[in-house]
Amino acid sequence: MLIRMLVAAVLVITTGSAIAQAASESAGGGVEVELNKLEPVDGACRAYLVTQNLTDTRFDAFQLDVVMFDNDGIVARRLAVQIAPMAPQKTSLKVFDIKNLACGDIGQLLLNDVLECRDSDGARDDCLSLISVSQRGNTPFIK
């Protein structure tokens, strides 16, 4: 009986450690995408995304499906935004223009999906789960 209790205790401890380690790895690695600012330019709104690849993987393709909503919550525009190439453990800036839409008319941005994700081994299907989003200004950026 004592042996069974000891074996059960060891299983609980090792299982808990494995779960904690897996949670730690998933929290520590990933791709952070921050909407840093929106800036008016001629006939468009320029968006600045700061990306941090906190993984040990080089991404050759990482294309985001980004949806812009107006101030009433209505879809105003949808764009495919390529943020690759992304070197491992590297911070980068990606800039893109949202044509025919004033920055003041953008109420929110949504990271809807990952359209393409490829590393040196080929296509991946787990990239959306790697991403966390944030924003610096007043325009919400959600996932």
Side-chain angles (χ1 to χ4, degrees):
M1 175 95 165
L2 181 59
I3 293 175
R4 285 185 193 170
M5 288 175 44
L6 287 173
V7 169
V10 168
L11 285 174
V12 167
I13 290 169
T14 57
T15 301
S17 296
I19 290 170
Q21 182 179 355
S24 168
E25 288 172 359
S26 67
V31 175
E32 295 180 2
V33 181
E34 173 193 88
L35 174 60
N36 187 270
K37 76 174 183 174
L38 296 174
E39 175 182 71
V41 293
D42 289 333
C45 179
R46 182 161 291 157
Y48 293 80
L49 296 181
V50 176
T51 62
Q52 290 187 313
N53 180 3
L54 302 174
T55 72
D56 292 327
T57 302
R58 175 183 168 76
F59 291 97
D60 298 320
F62 211 114
Q63 189 174 45
L64 307 178
D65 178 16
V66 180
V67 179
M68 279 65 58
F69 293 88
D70 67 15
N71 292 311
D72 295 322
I74 308 291
V75 172
R77 191 84 67 247
R78 185 176 180 193
L79 294 175
V81 179
Q82 182 64 257
I83 62 172
M86 287 193 298
Q89 304 297 325
K90 174 78 172 89
T91 301
S92 301
L93 176 68
K94 303 299 177 182
V95 180
F96 63 96
D97 288 349
I98 308 163
K99 296 189 186 300
N100 301 316
L101 189 61
C103 294
D105 293 338
I106 299 174
Q108 175 174 279
L109 277 80
L110 167 68
L111 173 60
N112 190 51
D113 203 355
V114 175
L115 299 172
E116 181 185 15
C117 183
R118 191 175 66 253
D119 62 19
S120 59
D121 294 329
R124 295 177 56 145
D125 60 3
D126 65 337
C127 292
L128 185 59
S129 66
L130 292 176
I131 298 175
S132 62
V133 297
S134 62
Q135 78 276 337
R136 287 229 179 235
N138 295 329
T139 305
F141 185 35
I142 63 170
K143 177 178 165 187

